[in-house]
Amino acid sequence: MILAGFDVSSSKTGVAIYDTRSPLSAIITKSFAAEGDTPLEKIESFTGRMIPILKEYRPDFAAVEEPLPIIPSFKKGGSDDLGGEAPASIVVNARSSLILNVLYGSAMTALVGMKVPRESVVVETWRKAFLGYGRKRGMKRVDYKRAAKAQCDMLRIPVRNQDEADAVGIVWWLHGHSQKLKLLEMAKAA
């Protein structure tokens, strides 16, 4: 069975292709950027890069990392109390969050169009399967990315960047933990 994992990103999307008849070290990884200034240009670029990957590898099942259902905000600098520091400002990257949701929709639509059974997975779920923890106190986004890359290095799975390492984590989860995939395999066996 050929499995595909996609770590969709507004900057660089990671892809992992795993033929379950092969060793883990044979996982193929790729990454690509969705280029353009407008959401429509990014969708066209993204789809133009994803469809050829689907045609080349013909996955039997795919998993795509699900974007956050909200636009996150972050505190930057200062403190909220009256202890003499400047009050914290709230930073919101709404454009990036919206683009990510649009690209996620494009990925799922491409999979539907290519008739690839699919599932989405939240980041904490695949990280728990791949890293042993979904969220750790004090860890930042970059720390999780480094941990995924280190896990790939330990497993001798060649990755060129952290986006590809995240895609490997997604396909790892898909192979060993997806209930939807297990049900599909049982139906095929019956």
Side-chain angles (χ1 to χ4, degrees):
M1 178 171 277
I2 297 173
L3 304 177
F6 295 92
D7 175 40
V8 176
S9 171
S10 57
S11 57
K12 188 174 282 186
T13 293
V15 180
I17 307 293
Y18 178 43
D19 184 337
T20 59
R21 298 168 296 184
S22 303
L24 287 172
S25 60
I27 290 176
I28 297 166
T29 59
K30 298 176 175 292
S31 55
F32 62 87
E35 298 170 356
D37 296 324
T38 67
L40 182 57
E41 289 171 347
K42 285 197 176 282
I43 290 169
E44 289 172 344
S45 172
F46 180 89
T47 306
R49 286 171 173 80
M50 185 165 172
I51 295 287
I53 292 169
L54 294 174
K55 285 182 177 179
E56 180 179 355
Y57 295 102
R58 301 276 182 203
D60 298 302
F61 203 91
V64 181
E65 183 180 284
E66 192 174 303
L68 293 173
I70 59 164
I71 296 175
S73 60
F74 307 93
K75 290 185 179 184
K76 183 177 180 181
S79 168
D80 285 334
D81 62 15
L82 299 174
E85 295 181 43
S89 61
I90 301 295
V91 178
V92 176
N93 192 345
R95 181 169 169 40
S96 180
S97 292
L98 292 171
I99 293 289
L100 181 57
N101 277 280
V102 167
L103 295 179
Y104 167 78
S106 296
M108 294 305 264
T109 301
L111 291 166
V112 168
M114 297 293 293
K115 296 183 176 24
V116 177
R118 72 227 142 265
E119 184 170 12
S120 61
V121 59
V122 295
V123 66
E124 289 86 359
T125 300
W126 73 255
R127 279 185 187 150
K128 177 118 173 101
F130 190 55
L131 302 176
Y133 52 86
R135 187 176 297 200
K136 268 190 175 177
R137 183 179 299 269
M139 284 187 75
K140 296 184 171 130
R141 184 175 182 266
V142 68
D143 299 322
Y144 291 113
K145 295 262 185 198
R146 283 187 194 128
K149 173 82 169 67
Q151 184 75 343
C152 288
D153 291 345
M154 185 190 75
L155 294 168
R156 297 195 167 133
I157 299 170
V159 295
R160 289 174 291 282
N161 57 53
Q162 294 168 337
D163 302 297
E164 292 177 5
D166 283 356
V168 168
I170 293 165
V171 85
W172 175 281
W173 168 84
L174 178 60
H175 181 246
H177 299 83
S178 168
Q179 294 302 309
K180 194 171 180 182
L181 177 59
K182 287 177 185 174
L183 289 172
L184 180 71
E185 289 173 329
M186 286 187 333
K188 281 186 177 183

